[in-house]
Amino acid sequence: MADLRIHISGLELKNPVICSSGEHTMTAEGIRAAIASGVGAVVAKSVNESLAAKSQLDKTDYRMVGTDWKPVPWDFNAPQDASIFCRSGLIQKSFEDWMQELIFLDREAAVADCYVIPSLILSDLDQCVAYAQVVQKMGFRVLEVNIGAPHGDEAAKGAIVLERDASRIETIVKRLREAVSIPLWIKLTGQSENPALLADAARNSGADAVVLMGRFMGFLPDLETHKPLLNTSAALGGAWALPLTARCVALARKRLGPQFPILATNGARSGLDVARFLLSGAYAVELASLVLMRGYSALTQCVEELSDYLDAQGISAKQLTGLAADQLQSYAEQVDRPEIWRKFCPPVEAGARSENPY
Ligand SMILES: Cc1cc2nc3c(=O)[nH]c(=O)nc-3n(C[C@H](O)[C@H](O)[C@H](O)COP(=O)(O)O)c2cc1C
């Protein structure tokens, strides 16, 4: 039986599959279903103090789109390559009520060798720091703070803050680090020129782990109505994002070294995708869209598929971590093969070329 355990900032997780924050972790029932699926941890739906962020939940909308960008039915049986295009908001419960609910769920999780992780989304920094102190005082074992939510640029001013500036990230993480000693995971945006630089800033300021990387914002026109789908820009994620996130994780590992825990999010849709992210240097993987697309049982399948893969490879989750990332080469290191490029050009004459270049 493959050894799935991994260690992040002094915590042992029974496996590296984490149910990521979203509407599916906004109720006690949803969180219980995620715990029961067998994942290593569950990140609860994020909260902050902003009334605008709470009221944004009433303006949310969601579409699943196929690879041709046309909507596909949201029937929890979506093809793996469908993308989710959506406007999300934050939980409308008060911080205090949500934390009261979560601390009981975290105790239930502990019995199942799992964690329920509260998640804060930055609005006002002083308030965020005060909330972090409450989280610690209540006995939570980890805190995730998302300072890179994709909706930050579109939401009402200050409702959700999206940080792309390394020095701002240093200020935020330092304040949080001074305030709490529990493990602090910082979730960062992918919408910056250099996410590895932002990860470095978070690490240097005291983060125990970084989560890379938030989804992208997109614009999708509807061919029938000639209007923007959902009327607005919206966050977009799909299986296609995996190589983009994987590169970001691999580059961050190169910059921060193998000892610093990086978690991957954005693009995993199966246990084999979790393995791909581990190979890219992630200690664990946070999945949200898969649950929204296929339900909580998809997480169980994910853990099983990862376990089968590791069994077949005769390797543990920990041993797999970073194997591909550590062999990442530059273009300049490649050997000269002048004959290659011609094989990949289409034939000029009519008729398809029959031989495959490889
Ligand atoms: C509908 C929806 C709501 C989300 N809400 C939150 C949230 O409240 N807090 C947060 O940190 N991330 C949130 N996310 C981001 C996910 O946790 C996850 O990081 C992201 O979707 C990328 O992973 P995926 O490809 O597995 O979906 C949300 C994502 C979706 C699709």
Side-chain angles (χ1 to χ4, degrees):
M1 181 75 179
D3 183 359
L4 294 173
R5 283 170 306 155
I6 50 122
H7 297 87
I8 305 172
S9 55
L11 303 175
E12 181 174 292
L13 269 63
K14 65 183 168 189
N15 65 61
V17 180
I18 298 178
C19 179
S20 203
S21 176
E23 274 70 326
H24 53 288
T25 61
M26 192 150 58
T27 60
E29 301 75 59
I31 290 179
R32 285 199 180 101
I35 296 168
S37 74
V39 292
V42 181
V43 185
K45 178 69 184 173
S46 303
V47 68
N48 70 15
E49 74 288 2
S50 161
L51 292 177
K54 291 185 198 301
S55 62
Q56 190 179 296
L57 191 69
D58 295 331
K59 296 185 195 304
T60 55
D61 205 354
Y62 313 81
R63 286 289 182 287
M64 210 173 305
V65 291
T67 50
D68 58 0
W69 305 115
K70 291 185 181 163
V72 296
W74 201 301
D75 58 3
F76 301 103
N77 194 22
Q80 203 161 300
D81 55 9
S83 297
I84 291 184
F85 185 64
C86 72
R87 238 182 359 252
S88 181
L90 295 193
I91 192 162
Q92 293 180 331
K93 284 179 188 160
S94 72
F95 167 78
E96 291 75 16
D97 287 352
W98 188 220
M99 291 306 121
Q100 277 302 334
E101 220 172 320
L102 292 183
I103 194 67
F104 286 111
L105 290 165
D106 186 40
R107 290 190 190 131
E108 286 178 36
V111 176
D113 193 10
C114 183
Y115 298 81
V116 170
I117 302 175
S119 164
L120 301 174
I121 277 195
L122 183 64
S123 175
D124 175 71
L125 181 55
D126 289 338
Q127 185 61 76
C128 188
V129 168
Y131 282 163
Q133 285 170 323
V134 175
V135 164
Q136 168 161 298
K137 210 165 163 200
M138 288 180 75
F140 285 102
R141 298 171 289 168
V142 198
L143 170 64
E144 185 169 294
V145 181
N146 187 348
I147 58 174
H151 312 280
D153 289 342
E154 296 280 339
K157 203 169 173 345
I160 291 173
V161 174
L162 195 179
E163 289 296 347
R164 298 187 176 87
D165 179 60
S167 66
R168 252 306 275 172
I169 288 173
E170 275 171 16
T171 306
I172 294 162
V173 178
K174 259 191 203 132
R175 287 280 315 276
L176 288 164
R177 181 71 298 161
E178 281 160 15
V180 296
S181 55
I182 55 170
L184 183 59
W185 297 0
I186 302 291
K187 192 168 178 180
L188 295 166
T189 183
Q191 300 179 71
S192 87
E193 257 176 47
N194 191 347
L197 178 79
L198 305 190
D200 209 0
R203 191 261 313 253
N204 292 338
S205 320
D208 293 294
V210 290
V211 186
L212 295 172
M213 57 187 191
R215 294 181 303 153
F216 305 98
M217 288 300 283
F219 176 84
L220 207 43
D222 186 309
L223 290 174
E224 302 304 322
T225 64
H226 304 176
K227 289 182 177 169
L229 193 66
L230 308 184
N231 298 325
T232 63
S233 296
L236 180 68
W240 49 266
L242 182 139
L244 311 183
T245 306
R247 177 168 184 264
C248 177
V249 169
L251 295 182
R253 178 180 169 93
K254 201 169 185 172
R255 186 172 179 125
L256 306 182
Q259 303 308 331
F260 185 75
I262 299 166
L263 284 73
T265 190
N266 195 359
R269 300 289 179 271
S270 66
L272 293 182
D273 284 352
V274 172
R276 290 185 175 99
F277 273 143
L278 296 190
L279 281 161
S280 309
Y283 279 41
V285 180
E286 296 191 355
L287 300 97
S289 298
L290 178 69
V291 192
L292 290 162
M293 290 164 65
R294 298 218 158 178
Y296 298 89
S297 60
L299 291 170
T300 310
Q301 285 163 16
C302 227
V303 176
E304 286 169 1
E305 194 177 50
L306 176 67
S307 179
D308 290 348
Y309 169 78
L310 292 173
D311 262 344
Q313 298 288 315
I315 196 168
S316 71
K318 193 172 172 198
Q319 287 166 335
L320 193 73
T321 301
L323 285 184
D326 294 344
Q327 299 177 72
L328 181 62
Q329 298 179 345
S330 68
Y331 280 18
E333 285 171 283
Q334 305 315 296
V335 291
D336 286 346
R337 290 189 300 164
E339 73 287 0
I340 285 290
W341 66 269
R342 282 183 199 285
K343 295 189 187 179
F344 289 88
C345 293
V348 175
E349 313 84 51
R353 187 171 49 199
S354 57
E355 83 276 15
N356 188 322
Y358 279 111

